[in-house]
């Protein structure tokens, strides 16, 4: 910017000088035009006199040439002024573009500083949240699980040893669990981050859902719901398919066992077999 400012001052100074020179040249041109008109009138009046006509013809040509030189000087000065004005206009445009670019860069720097501050603040909150929920898992969840196991063991064995102590420990653990969970939710449930959904590819602001398929992708609430519904459908279909396969294998087993069981019963009882015994045997094979 300093160089452009110097160039602007230089061109403004030159333009002022050229303007003054142009005014001088124009005045010279006016004077010589008057002189040329005067010599032309003199020559026209004395052109019929042989000796004087040659003298005034020379004076007229001299005035005419000087006028042409003065007019050319005016044209040159005017062209110079136009060129310097164009250069000055170009410098001004360059200064305007640089000033605009400078303002844009300053705005970007300001926004970047604000974003960095927000990210640092968010990182600190996430670090505090991570420490809190780790401690929550280490102490509250494990302690409550232990008290629940103790109560289950007491109810299972019917032992009255440390019965009241276990119940009291369970109540205290549940109370502390609820208070800690409520504090954690009220303190860190409002955290929001900017992220790109790995499924729909749209930028979102909020708290993302971890993509279980890729284990490192982030999903928005809509794509996360769809992924969960898909997993539930796949698990349900697999369970139905497994149950159907088990039933088919059981039927095949019955179809294979039934004729063998009938032959074995006929061998053991060569006489006529009551229908009820045969029916009970087949039913037993079906119940396998």
């Amino acid at each position: 910017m300093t160089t452009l400012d110097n160039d602007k001052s230089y061109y403004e100074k030159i333009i002022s000088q050229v303007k003054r020179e142009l005014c001088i040249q124009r005045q010279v041109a006016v004077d010589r035009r008057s002189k040329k008109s005067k010599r032309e009138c003199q020559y026209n009046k004395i052109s019929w006199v042989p000796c004087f006509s040659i003298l005034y013809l020379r004076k007229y040509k001299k005035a005419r040439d000087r006028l042409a030189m003065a007019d050319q000087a005016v044209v040159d000065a005017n062209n110079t002024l136009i060129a310097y004005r164009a250069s000055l206009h170009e410098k001004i445009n360059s200064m305007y573009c640089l000033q605009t670019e400078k303002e844009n860069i300053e705005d970007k720097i300001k926004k970047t500083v604000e974003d960095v501050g927000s990210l640092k603040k968010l990182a600190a909150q996430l670090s505090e949240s991570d420490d809190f929920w780790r401690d929550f898992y280490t102490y509250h969840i494990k302690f409550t699980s232990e008290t629940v196991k103790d109560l289950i063991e007491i109810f299972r064995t019917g032992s009255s040893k440390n019965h009241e102590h276990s119940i009291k420990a369970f109540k205290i653990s549940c109370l502390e669990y609820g208070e800690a969970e409520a504090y954690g939710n009220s303190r860190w449930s409002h955290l929001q981050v900017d992220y790109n959904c790995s499924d729909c590819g749209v930028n979102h602001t909020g708290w993302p859902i971890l993509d279980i398929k890729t284990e490192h992708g982030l999903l928005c609430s809509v794509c996360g719901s769809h992924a969960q519904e898909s997993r539930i459908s796949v698990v349900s279909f697999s369970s139905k398919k497994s149950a159907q396969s088990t039933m088919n294998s059981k039927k095949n087993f019955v179809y294979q066992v039934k004729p063998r069981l009938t032959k074995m019963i006929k061998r053991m009882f060569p006489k006529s077999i009551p229908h009820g015994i045969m029916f009970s045997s087949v039913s037993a094979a079906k119940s396998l």
Side-chain angles (χ1 to χ4, degrees), residues 80-207:
T80 303
L81 180 63
I82 292 173
Y84 278 120
R85 281 178 175 174
S87 299
L88 178 61
H89 183 69
E90 183 180 355
K91 296 297 180 182
I92 292 174
N93 287 336
S94 299
M95 291 178 63
Y96 175 76
C97 294
L98 288 177
Q99 183 66 27
T100 304
E101 186 177 358
K102 179 183 176 182
E103 293 176 355
N104 293 334
I105 292 174
E106 289 177 349
D107 292 340
K108 290 180 180 179
I109 292 174
K110 182 179 178 180
K111 186 177 183 303
T112 302
V113 171
E114 293 176 354
D115 292 341
V116 169
S118 300
L119 289 176
K120 287 182 178 179
K121 183 178 179 181
L122 178 62
Q125 292 177 342
L126 290 175
S127 179
E128 293 177 359
S129 175
D130 181 67
D131 294 339
F132 174 82
W133 290 114
R134 284 179 184 273
D135 294 339
F136 180 82
Y137 172 78
T138 303
Y139 177 73
H140 294 287
I141 293 180
K142 289 188 176 181
F143 179 64
T144 305
S145 300
E146 293 296 331
T147 57
V148 170
K149 290 179 182 179
D150 293 341
L151 286 179
I152 292 174
E153 184 65 20
I154 291 173
F155 292 147
R156 187 178 65 84
T157 60
S159 176
S160 59
K161 184 180 180 180
N162 296 328
H163 179 72
E164 294 182 357
H165 175 73
S166 299
I167 294 177
K168 184 177 180 180
F170 174 72
K171 289 181 178 180
I172 293 174
S173 65
C174 289
L175 179 62
E176 293 178 350
Y177 182 98
E179 290 178 350
E181 185 181 24
Y183 172 78
N185 290 332
S186 63
R187 179 73 182 275
W188 292 289
S189 61
H190 65 281
L191 295 180
Q192 292 185 344
V193 295
D194 295 330
Y195 65 96
N196 184 269
C197 180
S198 58
D199 193 5
C200 63
V202 179
N203 292 324
H204 296 275
T205 301
W207 196 252

Side-chain angles (χ1 to χ4, degrees), residues 11-268:
Y11 281 114
E12 288 177 347
K13 184 178 180 180
I14 293 297
I15 286 173
S16 299
Q17 294 178 357
V18 172
K19 282 183 177 180
R20 289 195 295 268
E21 184 69 22
L22 180 61
C23 291
I24 295 172
Q25 294 296 334
R26 284 177 176 172
Q27 186 61 42
V28 171
V30 170
D31 294 340
R32 291 186 176 180
R33 186 172 287 104
S34 299
K35 190 69 173 288
K36 182 249 182 187
S37 299
K38 179 180 177 181
R39 296 301 184 188
E40 185 178 4
C41 291
Q42 289 176 349
Y43 173 74
N44 290 332
K45 289 180 180 180
I46 310 178
S47 60
W48 58 274
V49 180
C51 292
F52 291 97
S53 64
I54 296 173
L55 176 61
Y56 280 96
L57 178 61
R58 289 177 181 175
K59 291 182 178 181
Y60 166 74
K61 289 182 178 179
K62 184 178 180 181
R64 184 191 63 186
D65 294 339
R66 286 182 175 181
L67 175 61
M69 293 174 61
D71 289 338
Q72 185 62 39
V74 171
V75 172
D76 293 339
N78 191 39
N79 292 335
T80 303
L81 180 63
I82 292 173
Y84 278 120
R85 281 178 175 174
S87 299
L88 178 61
H89 183 69
E90 183 180 355
K91 296 297 180 182
I92 292 174
N93 287 336
S94 299
M95 291 178 63
Y96 175 76
C97 294
L98 288 177
Q99 183 66 27
T100 304
E101 186 177 358
K102 179 183 176 182
E103 293 176 355
N104 293 334
I105 292 174
E106 289 177 349
D107 292 340
K108 290 180 180 179
I109 292 174
K110 182 179 178 180
K111 186 177 183 303
T112 302
V113 171
E114 293 176 354
D115 292 341
V116 169
S118 300
L119 289 176
K120 287 182 178 179
K121 183 178 179 181
L122 178 62
Q125 292 177 342
L126 290 175
S127 179
E128 293 177 359
S129 175
D130 181 67
D131 294 339
F132 174 82
W133 290 114
R134 284 179 184 273
D135 294 339
F136 180 82
Y137 172 78
T138 303
Y139 177 73
H140 294 287
I141 293 180
K142 289 188 176 181
F143 179 64
T144 305
S145 300
E146 293 296 331
T147 57
V148 170
K149 290 179 182 179
D150 293 341
L151 286 179
I152 292 174
E153 184 65 20
I154 291 173
F155 292 147
R156 187 178 65 84
T157 60
S159 176
S160 59
K161 184 180 180 180
N162 296 328
H163 179 72
E164 294 182 357
H165 175 73
S166 299
I167 294 177
K168 184 177 180 180
F170 174 72
K171 289 181 178 180
I172 293 174
S173 65
C174 289
L175 179 62
E176 293 178 350
Y177 182 98
E179 290 178 350
E181 185 181 24
Y183 172 78
N185 290 332
S186 63
R187 179 73 182 275
W188 292 289
S189 61
H190 65 281
L191 295 180
Q192 292 185 344
V193 295
D194 295 330
Y195 65 96
N196 184 269
C197 180
S198 58
D199 193 5
C200 63
V202 179
N203 292 324
H204 296 275
T205 301
W207 196 252
I209 301 172
L210 183 64
D211 189 0
I212 299 178
K213 293 188 297 183
T214 59
E215 296 183 356
H216 61 272
L218 301 176
L219 300 176
C220 62
S221 58
V222 177
C223 297
S225 300
H226 292 167
Q228 186 176 4
E229 292 176 359
S230 300
R231 287 195 300 270
I232 293 174
S233 301
V234 170
V235 171
S236 177
F237 177 75
S238 300
S239 301
K240 291 180 180 180
K241 188 175 181 181
S242 178
Q244 186 68 28
S245 176
T246 303
M247 187 178 296
N248 292 336
S249 61
K250 192 172 182 180
K251 287 182 179 180
N252 294 333
F253 177 75
V254 171
Y255 292 151
Q256 294 175 3
V257 169
K258 180 178 177 181
R260 298 178 184 176
L261 184 61
T262 304
K263 290 180 181 179
M264 183 179 66
I265 293 174
K266 285 183 178 180
R267 248 187 247 111
M268 293 175 63

